Amino acid sequence: MRIGIADTTFARYDMAKDAIDEIKKHALGVKIVRYTVPGVKDLPVACKKLITEQECDIVMAFGMPGKEAIDKTCAHEASTGIIQAQLMTDTHIIEVFVHEDEAKNDVELAEVMERRARAHARNAVTLMLRPEELTRDAGTGRRQGRDDAGPIKL
Amino acid sequence: MRIGIADTTFARYDMAKDAIDEIKKHALGVKIVRYTVPGVKDLPVACKKLITEQECDIVMAFGMPGKEAIDKTCAHEASTGIIQAQLMTDTHIIEVFVHEDEAKNDVELAEVMERRARAHARNAVTLMLRPEELTRDAGTGRRQGRDDAGPIKL
Amino acid sequence: MRIGIADTTFARYDMAKDAIDEIKKHALGVKIVRYTVPGVKDLPVACKKLITEQECDIVMAFGMPGKEAIDKTCAHEASTGIIQAQLMTDTHIIEVFVHEDEAKNDVELAEVMERRARAHARNAVTLMLRPEELTRDAGTGRRQGRDDAGPIKL
Amino acid sequence: MRIGIADTTFARYDMAKDAIDEIKKHALGVKIVRYTVPGVKDLPVACKKLITEQECDIVMAFGMPGKEAIDKTCAHEASTGIIQAQLMTDTHIIEVFVHEDEAKNDVELAEVMERRARAHARNAVTLMLRPEELTRDAGTGRRQGRDDAGPIKL
Amino acid sequence: MRIGIADTTFARYDMAKDAIDEIKKHALGVKIVRYTVPGVKDLPVACKKLITEQECDIVMAFGMPGKEAIDKTCAHEASTGIIQAQLMTDTHIIEVFVHEDEAKNDVELAEVMERRARAHARNAVTLMLRPEELTRDAGTGRRQGRDDAGPIKL
């Protein structure tokens, strides 16, 4: 099995490193292929190439969109392309974006980034190896990078 | 006949369970294939895989977008991808999204979610088995999860 | 020749009925294939299926988006998909949407819906049977559902 | 060589007529194929059909989006589709849209429309016959319909 | 190896010239193919043609969107198309857009444009010749046209 890891030089924290560490803990013997591009708008084709040229079974796409309106637009364009790349290949690409304005300061931002990267690395491994397991958590308010919201209590 | 059910661990209520219950009441002998992913942006490819790999004749996609602006953007991206997946496969995917801010509180939210899930499960069964029946209700202001708006009275 | 008619149970007025009546007046012997779906986001694939599975030469897509922001987003997603379906099939799909907030009250809304449905039914027939005729009206400010704006007077 | 001209009955001025006049001045012997549709959202497939069915080497798409928010959304959807049609055919479609609110009054609006139609007709001819010539003007602030902005002076 | 350079006559500064100068410094013997179009919405198909017809291994797309709301929309449409062109060809297109309102005055604007063009030219060369090198800078807050933001310091 092969997991593709696409990330950017634009991001201010190396989420891919945390994700790779987490993958190694949960999926022994899985081959990891890493591909770094300048920014989030370069991610869709990078992810597609990891699937079509590097034969990855699943891909993770890491990005840190900035705080400005233009950054939000870039993130939206990247996300649209990432969904399109999945539809063209019938392969999951787990998007792991942390917006720079999600946290109050740099330390909290790095914390969110590490937690989200690790949580989604576990999701990617599960989706690749034991997809039926996620149904146990269906509708239970899971979050990545923050505490779970939890299910609605009736 | 096979119905695909795609849903998320992000949602705070298990709409798929209600939909499956409703499908079983209205479509005896139909095979249900369930597929759970982390969030709504993972739904388009999950739905497409249910069609291309699991040979589903129709798919339902359940999601609960959050209240923030970023959540609205995610929902829009997911919806765009779900429409694209349908066009690539000539197969219906009934999108069943309930936005977290559609209701005043958690209890009302769960109620909307159950009603919408069940109403669209009936729509999915009708579209799959007796599509011509929906024309009887064309232009009559049907709603799912809330009371019908009804037709304009002249 | 075959005209596809796709519409929804969500709309509060039956535009398709008016359009069918108008088509029968202007295009003798044309076969009409009707397909009703729950909402506007189900229209793109319904239209595509009318083209690829029912062999329609042209399709009309009727929808009544609601007044809320979420309804505007749904209409935008549906329109994007309808354009995509046309490009995938090289076939016209005449979108006939009337937004619920285009009129002051229900009676005016129904009036706009009937006029727009009939005017676009005539457009669809012309596009299918005598496309060169529309060039006579190029740049003359035609409207559907309201009075024509007319050409700029110099 | 064949140039496709797609335009609408919605526009309040006949830009295609000006463009055809300009093309005839600059490209002797070029065949012009005209195709008129109701509104800008019908343009993407009309342009694609001019390429795939009428074998046009380049297409011009004329539209006059109205002043309201809904008109801006329609223009955006049309533009997205026009770009998609180009990518599906590897053929240029020069979009010539003039928004109704670009000018203070109808007379100025018609003037902008004529100038933009003629300037883009020259662009289309150059792109089709001598594409390398445009590089002479690269980065020089050319505008169509208004005076050139000119290059940044250092 | 071949690098495609697509740019516009609309931009008020010739970024492509700077990029070509930079490419020649860092990639001896690389063939450069330049293609100039009127505006940013013409860039997606120009880039695609550089890949499919001119056999470029990577493409750079230079644009200077204006300050108005309509210009932002055009830039968004162009970016969406550029991402789509990449997915259709499994080839990188490095988008180098500088918005006219990114700088306080023309002199600063030209400075940003030159710096961004040169920095992305180096990125393009690295992506084409030694893609694994970018991983050394993953998550370090690199910027083009401005000073680097740098990594988050913990």
Side-chain angles (χ1 to χ4, degrees), chain D residues 55-130:
Chain D
E55 299 178 2
C56 290
D57 299 287
I58 194 164
V59 172
M60 303 186 70
F62 298 94
M64 186 211 73
K67 316 169 189 212
E68 310 298 328
I70 181 72
D71 298 311
K72 303 298 179 191
T73 302
C74 289
H76 171 54
E77 291 155 358
S79 295
T80 302
I82 286 171
I83 289 173
Q84 219 174 342
Q86 293 175 76
L87 294 175
M88 290 166 97
T89 58
D90 281 6
T91 302
H92 279 288
I93 301 169
I94 304 293
E95 182 195 293
V96 189
F97 280 10
V98 177
H99 288 249
E100 205 175 0
D101 54 4
E102 275 189 56
K104 290 188 303 289
N105 54 53
D106 277 5
V107 173
E108 190 191 318
L109 186 62
E111 193 182 279
V112 173
M113 291 172 99
E114 172 167 7
R115 284 184 68 179
R116 190 164 294 159
R118 290 189 182 272
H120 269 313
R122 291 190 297 273
N123 279 335
V125 168
T126 307
L127 260 181
M128 184 177 63
L129 300 180
R130 302 174 300 277

Side-chain angles (χ1 to χ4, degrees), chain D residues 76 79 83-84 86-87 90-92 94-95 99 123 134-135 137-143 149-152 154, chain E residues 7-13 34-38 41 44-45 48-49 52 70 76-77 81 84 88 106 109-110:
Chain D
H76 171 54
S79 295
I83 289 173
Q84 219 174 342
Q86 293 175 76
L87 294 175
D90 281 6
T91 302
H92 279 288
I94 304 293
E95 182 195 293
H99 288 249
N123 279 335
L134 282 175
T135 297
D137 292 335
T140 61
R142 299 286 154 139
R143 296 292 178 272
I152 290 177
L154 294 178
Chain E
D7 68 345
T8 69
T9 63
F10 183 97
R12 298 180 53 223
Y13 177 87
R34 186 162 176 183
Y35 190 3
T36 306
V37 292
K41 284 157 96 166
V45 77
K48 181 141 182 278
K49 284 161 75 81
T52 57
I70 181 72
H76 171 53
E77 290 155 359
Q84 219 174 341
M88 289 166 97
D106 278 5
L109 185 62

Side-chain angles (χ1 to χ4, degrees), chain C residues 72-141:
Chain C
K72 303 298 179 190
T73 303
C74 290
H76 171 53
E77 291 156 359
S79 295
T80 302
I82 287 171
I83 289 174
Q84 219 174 339
Q86 293 175 76
L87 293 176
M88 290 166 96
T89 58
D90 280 6
T91 302
H92 279 289
I93 301 169
I94 304 293
E95 182 195 295
V96 189
F97 280 10
V98 177
H99 289 249
E100 205 175 359
D101 54 5
E102 274 189 56
K104 290 188 303 290
N105 54 52
D106 278 6
V107 173
E108 190 192 318
L109 185 62
E111 192 183 279
V112 173
M113 291 173 98
E114 172 167 7
R115 284 185 67 180
R116 190 166 295 161
R118 291 188 181 274
H120 269 312
R122 291 190 297 271
N123 278 335
V125 168
T126 307
L127 260 181
M128 184 177 62
L129 300 179
R130 301 174 301 277
E132 66 288 355
E133 276 189 17
L134 283 174
T135 297
R136 292 194 312 224
D137 293 334
T140 61

Side-chain angles (χ1 to χ4, degrees), chain B residues 64-75:
Chain B
M64 185 213 73
K67 315 168 188 212
E68 310 299 327
I70 182 71
D71 298 311
K72 302 299 178 190
T73 304
C74 289

